[in-house]
Amino acid sequence: MGDTLEFNEIYQEVKGSWNDGRLRFSKQNVVYKSSKTGKVDSIPASELNVAQWRRVCLGHGIKLTTSTGHIYKYDGFRDTDFEKISEFFKANYSVELAEKDMCVKGWNWGAAKFSGPLLSFEVNDNSAFEVPLANVSQCATGKNEVTLEFHQNDDAEVSLMEVRFYVPPGQADERQDPVEAFAQNVLSKADVIQATGDAVCIFKELQCLTPRGRYDIRIYPTFLHLHGKTFDYKIPYTTVLRLFLLPHKDQRQMFFVISLDPPIKQGQTRYHFLILLFSKEENITLSLNMSEEDVERRFEGKLSKNMSGSLYELVSRVMKALVNRKITVPGNFQGHSGAQCITCSYKASSGLLYPLERGFIYVHKPPVHLRFEEISCVNFARGTTTTTRSFDFEIETKQGNQYTFSSIEREEYGKLFDFVNAKKLNIKNRGFKEGMKGKIDEYSDSDQDEHDAYLERMKAEGKIREEANDSDDSDSGSDHSFKPGEEDDNIAEEYDSKASASDSSDEDGDSEDDSPKKKKVAKPKVVKEKKERKPRKEKKQKDKGGPKRPMSAYMLWLNSSREKIKSENPGISVTDISKKAGELWRGLGKDDKEEWEAKAAEAKKEYDVAKKEYKESGGGGGGEVSKKKSAVQKDDRKRKSSVGDKERERGTGNESFKSKEFIETSDSSSDSDHKSKSRKKKKKKKEESEEEEDKAASSPASSEEE
């Protein structure tokens, strides 16, 4: 057996919600890491006392009890895991993994036993259910009744609000009320915030960004009390997940960020982060409301009774000692301006993005913390602004969420890319980025941005417009010679300046002598545009009588599996079906795919045979004939249109060069010509109608003779 045992997709219940993670048993300790929060539970092997193997809703579970009174429960094991875990516990922990049955009778009466932080309701010495007392938010008593209310979790689909216990009157000890004794046992371990006693210290009028306002912060031994003009918040230290101390970009202020799980609530608003803003120049002297012996015994040298220094240093120092968590600060990253953060925008609000040693954090509205282990990939994208002196940094998580930090200065690209590359994050457009990075190193001027925006606009337009603009770029290249090291974005500037020059030359061509030069530049553009637009690709006409093309292996599999996907996912949309099918197809093994690939190959052979027979029987020719006919018709139209254009040009030329005498004579005017033509037409129509009448008159006579 190895030195460690590792299990994936092991679940831990947190306030009614299942959080998955990874569990590792080693000789030194037991470590569980949550995939959602990244929080790590480490249990030293020397502290393990009791280990139980139980059948639970998610397969099998392990309940571990330590000598310090803590209880840890992990579910999601298989039945076959029992033997190897039991052997590992005996060999390394000297603890026997005992099998414990749960009561499934469904009785609602039994014995309530308090064991550490758990309230266990037992029927016939078997546990029916357990209530973690840390989840209790309130405990109320009545006549022979105790009511427990619970903290709510936004991630849980169904939440347990309260449980009532009926406590029968006791006869053994009449001096103590059994209801009060039950309530005291609950409150001793419950997460009920009671502001009893004096605060350890108080910080007055601290500026808070989320929730917004100025608050007095009272530090109690077990919780943090924010007292404002409108709202009060009480934050237990057990809900504090992480602490961050971040320098502002102006180097004059500091952010102190407290990550909370579960968040504090105000109506429908949830605050997952508490962000305080301090000035570096603000200093205070702090005295703790405890004796020196108590401070030494409680904090073990981390704090002293009297302290002085910067306000942000004292607040972070006190919080670190009370919460017993490390403070995260920015690592070795330095941006273009020398700051440890990057100015950007998220959801239309400007803020600062801090690359940390193990993640990214954005402050302040809304705050976002992303750990490297939950990031699927990152992407460097073009900025949406027309100047493109900025770019977007996109982060996609493994859960499918996407975070876009926009309006990042172009100069920050090199530093950010090197940081992401050093952390070995998956970069979606790596090839494009490396090429872009080379350009930035070589062309540091901001004019390069305009050239990139110009090319992007050209790509977004239609194909004909793009080809025309490419030809314009080649014209500008013939008039101006560029050196190998010169910037390419001058092409775009030359194109714009020439367009304005050609417009002005058309307007002022009669008065200026230099206009022929400008016209020389403009004329080839017009001709080349016509030449580029003349050839048009004709669409291939589909031969409807021919055999249908065979389907691929994936399409054959999809047709057979579509109904199964619909039945397993009721109400799924068409697009989601294709996404789900793609995931399932990628997850198929080689053997399963070979079956469908063989079917696809067989269908391809049948198609080739059918196509050959179809061609030999004379099929597929109609389309070619029709193509030839259409091509001939198009050529005829082009010839006619060109002839018509020439005749119009001649006609316009004759009209423009009429002499004075020709115009003055009434017989040669265009109006008289039109009148004479119309008279001839009327006369011709009249003669044709008379001939038709004569024929009609003679036809009955011929029929009578017959």
Side-chain angles (χ1 to χ4, degrees):
M1 182 175 287
D3 295 337
T4 60
L5 284 179
E6 291 192 9
F7 298 93
N8 296 325
E9 294 185 5
I10 301 300
Y11 294 86
Q12 185 182 38
E13 187 265 331
V14 180
K15 292 184 172 64
S17 177
W18 291 104
N19 293 344
D20 68 317
R22 299 181 64 182
L23 182 66
R24 183 183 66 193
F25 297 108
S26 65
K27 291 183 178 181
Q28 295 79 21
N29 54 15
V30 178
V31 180
Y32 177 80
K33 186 170 186 180
S34 172
S35 299
K36 179 192 172 189
T37 61
K39 186 178 178 181
V40 177
D41 293 335
S42 182
I43 310 168
S46 58
E47 294 182 2
L48 283 177
N49 276 349
V50 181
Q52 292 180 355
W53 178 268
R54 308 184 302 175
R55 177 66 186 268
V56 291
C57 60
L58 293 177
H60 292 79
I62 288 180
K63 178 183 175 183
L64 303 176
T65 306
T66 63
S67 57
T68 56
H70 293 91
I71 295 177
Y72 301 89
K73 294 188 292 183
Y74 306 108
D75 299 343
F77 295 96
R78 298 178 181 177
D79 192 13
T80 54
D81 297 332
F82 173 73
E83 292 182 3
K84 57 182 178 183
I85 295 175
S86 178
E87 292 176 6
F88 189 88
F89 273 43
K90 286 179 183 178
N92 297 288
Y93 303 149
S94 300
V95 175
E96 185 178 354
L97 185 62
E99 293 189 67
K100 182 73 173 177
D101 294 330
M102 303 288 290
C103 180
V104 292
K105 288 185 176 181
W107 294 2
N108 61 347
W109 66 90
K113 294 185 179 180
F114 294 91
S115 57
L118 286 179
L119 166 59
S120 178
F121 187 81
E122 297 184 355
V123 178
N124 296 338
D125 295 332
N126 287 331
S127 178
F129 63 87
E130 294 173 340
V131 177
L133 295 178
N135 294 355
V136 177
S137 63
Q138 193 58 260
C139 179
T141 59
K143 186 179 179 181
N144 299 333
E145 192 176 73
V146 179
T147 303
L148 306 184
E149 296 180 7
F150 301 97
H151 291 290
Q152 301 304 305
N153 190 346
D154 294 336
D155 296 331
E157 296 180 1
V158 180
S159 297
L160 180 64
M161 302 298 293
E162 67 175 28
V163 174
R164 295 185 182 184
F165 292 94
Y166 172 76
V167 183
Q171 298 177 356
D173 190 0
E174 296 180 355
R175 290 174 296 176
Q176 187 179 14
D177 185 8
V179 173
E180 289 297 329
F182 190 97
Q184 288 301 322
N185 285 328
V186 172
L187 290 172
S188 63
K189 299 292 183 180
D191 192 11
V192 179
I193 299 174
Q194 296 177 337
T196 56
D198 297 329
V200 175
C201 60
I202 301 175
F203 298 99
K204 294 280 189 181
E205 292 290 322
L206 296 186
Q207 184 181 356
C208 194
L209 300 181
T210 56
R212 187 177 172 186
R214 288 193 173 269
Y215 291 85
D216 293 340
I217 297 183
R218 296 185 173 93
I219 307 293
Y220 287 90
T222 57
F223 68 95
L224 183 72
H225 184 198
L226 271 70
H227 177 69
K229 293 181 179 179
T230 309
F231 302 109
D232 280 10
Y233 302 97
K234 293 178 181 178
I235 305 170
Y237 295 140
T238 55
T239 64
V240 175
L241 202 59
R242 291 180 184 83
L243 302 174
F244 301 91
L245 189 62
L246 309 170
H248 197 281
K249 193 171 185 178
D250 59 9
Q251 302 298 326
R252 293 181 297 174
Q253 300 178 95
M254 295 290 291
F255 293 109
F256 184 62
V257 183
I258 302 174
S259 175
L260 304 173
D261 184 43
I264 56 177
K265 304 175 185 178
Q266 182 57 52
Q268 296 298 320
T269 308
R270 305 288 185 268
Y271 296 104
H272 292 270
F273 293 89
L274 178 66
I275 301 180
L276 303 173
L277 183 62
F278 299 97
S279 173
K280 283 188 175 181
E281 300 174 356
E282 192 173 355
N283 299 322
I284 64 163
T285 300
L286 183 66
S287 179
L288 300 182
N289 190 18
M290 299 172 70
S291 62
E292 291 186 1
E293 292 80 8
D294 292 341
V295 172
E296 183 65 29
R297 186 180 67 256
R298 174 80 185 271
F299 301 112
E300 300 176 354
K302 296 177 182 177
L303 298 177
S304 57
K305 180 174 174 59
N306 298 309
M307 296 177 289
S308 61
S310 300
L311 177 58
Y312 74 89
E313 287 181 352
L314 292 182
V315 172
S316 58
R317 191 174 166 187
V318 170
M319 286 298 299
K320 180 182 178 182
L322 286 167
V323 178
N324 198 21
R325 294 199 178 277
K326 295 179 180 179
I327 295 179
T328 304
V329 296
N332 300 324
F333 176 82
Q334 275 197 341
H336 177 71
S337 60
Q340 293 180 298
C341 57
I342 295 172
T343 305
C344 61
S345 297
Y346 176 65
K347 290 188 176 179
S349 295
S350 181
L352 299 172
L353 179 66
Y354 290 85
L356 308 175
E357 286 301 313
R358 295 184 179 179
F360 295 96
I361 186 169
Y362 172 82
V363 291
H364 75 99
K365 193 175 180 181
V368 177
H369 178 233
L370 298 168
R371 294 173 286 114
F372 289 156
E373 58 196 27
E374 63 179 338
I375 294 175
S376 172
C377 62
V378 299
N379 182 34
F380 291 83
R382 293 286 187 195
T384 55
T385 56
T386 54
T387 58
T388 64
R389 308 213 174 179
S390 62
F391 65 94
D392 295 348
F393 183 56
E394 300 172 353
I395 299 177
E396 188 174 337
T397 63
K398 293 177 182 177
Q399 287 77 25
N401 301 322
Q402 186 168 339
Y403 300 86
T404 302
F405 302 97
S406 58
S407 304
I408 303 175
E409 294 179 0
R410 188 78 172 194
E411 290 76 15
E412 302 284 3
Y413 172 81
K415 300 282 187 180
L416 184 58
F417 174 72
D418 292 340
F419 174 82
V420 170
N421 204 24
K423 296 300 178 183
K424 298 181 180 179
L425 294 177
N426 183 23
I427 302 173
K428 188 181 286 187
N429 54 349
R430 174 175 290 274
F432 171 72
K433 282 201 315 300
E434 289 179 350
M436 194 165 97
K437 182 185 174 189
K439 284 186 180 179
I440 290 175
D441 294 337
E442 190 175 353
Y443 307 113
S444 58
D445 196 355
S446 60
D447 289 340
Q448 181 69 28
D449 303 337
E450 296 178 9
H451 176 62
D452 292 337
Y454 171 76
L455 292 179
E456 286 299 312
R457 288 199 302 272
M458 292 302 101
K459 288 179 182 178
E461 293 178 1
K463 187 176 180 182
I464 299 173
R465 178 70 181 276
E466 186 180 2
E467 291 175 356
N469 285 326
D470 290 340
S471 67
D472 294 343
D473 293 340
S474 64
D475 291 339
S476 61
S478 62
D479 293 335
H480 299 269
S481 60
F482 288 90
K483 294 179 181 179
E486 200 168 355
E487 296 180 5
D488 297 336
D489 55 355
N490 292 328
I491 296 173
E493 294 175 3
E494 293 285 340
Y495 174 78
D496 295 336
S497 62
K498 284 184 181 181
S500 60
S502 61
D503 294 340
S504 61
S505 65
D506 293 338
E507 294 174 2
D508 304 331
D510 298 334
S511 59
E512 294 184 3
D513 296 333
D514 298 334
S515 59
K517 292 182 181 179
K518 294 178 182 178
K519 285 181 182 178
K520 283 181 182 178
V521 178
K523 276 181 181 177
K525 286 184 182 179
V526 175
V527 173
K528 287 201 174 184
E529 281 181 3
K530 284 185 179 180
K531 285 182 180 178
E532 290 292 336
R533 291 182 183 178
K534 274 184 180 179
R536 291 183 182 177
K537 293 182 180 179
E538 298 177 9
K539 292 182 179 179
K540 293 182 179 179
Q541 294 186 3
K542 193 173 180 181
D543 191 3
K544 295 180 180 179
K548 290 185 179 179
R549 286 193 175 184
M551 287 189 286
S552 63
Y554 168 72
M555 291 304 297
L556 290 170
W557 171 85
L558 178 60
N559 287 342
S560 65
S561 305
R562 185 177 280 108
E563 294 302 324
K564 185 181 177 183
I565 295 171
K566 285 183 181 179
S567 62
E568 290 177 355
N569 303 276
I572 191 169
S573 63
V574 178
T575 54
D576 290 338
I577 287 174
S578 59
K579 288 180 183 177
K580 187 72 177 176
E583 294 174 4
L584 295 173
W585 176 254
R586 285 192 292 273
L588 281 179
K590 252 188 180 179
D591 298 336
D592 297 331
K593 285 187 179 179
E594 282 179 0
E595 177 188 349
W596 296 102
E597 286 170 357
K599 290 182 180 179
E602 187 178 347
K604 180 71 167 60
K605 288 179 183 177
E606 292 176 358
Y607 169 74
D608 292 339
V609 172
K611 188 176 180 182
K612 189 176 180 182
E613 292 176 356
Y614 178 70
K615 285 185 176 179
E616 288 175 356
S617 62
E624 296 177 1
V625 173
S626 60
K627 282 182 185 178
K628 289 179 181 178
K629 286 183 178 179
S630 61
V632 171
Q633 289 174 358
K634 284 184 180 179
D635 293 338
D636 293 340
R637 286 176 199 155
K638 286 180 183 178
R639 288 188 198 120
K640 288 178 181 177
S641 61
S642 60
V643 171
D645 292 339
K646 289 178 182 178
E647 288 178 355
R648 287 191 205 101
E649 288 175 3
R650 289 171 187 168
T652 52
N654 291 337
E655 287 178 4
S656 60
F657 289 98
K658 282 181 181 178
S659 63
K660 189 177 180 183
E661 294 80 10
F662 183 79
I663 294 169
E664 286 177 353
T665 56
S666 58
D667 296 337
S668 61
S669 66
S670 60
D671 293 337
S672 61
D673 292 340
H674 285 300
K675 287 179 182 178
S676 61
K677 286 179 181 178
S678 60
R679 287 194 197 109
K680 288 178 181 177
K681 285 182 180 179
K682 286 180 181 178
K683 190 175 181 182
K684 193 173 182 181
K685 284 182 179 179
K686 192 175 181 181
E687 290 174 355
E688 289 175 356
S689 60
E690 287 176 355
E691 288 177 3
E692 287 177 359
E693 287 176 1
D694 294 338
K695 287 180 181 178
S698 60
S699 60
S702 60
S703 61
E704 286 174 4
E705 290 173 1
E706 290 175 358

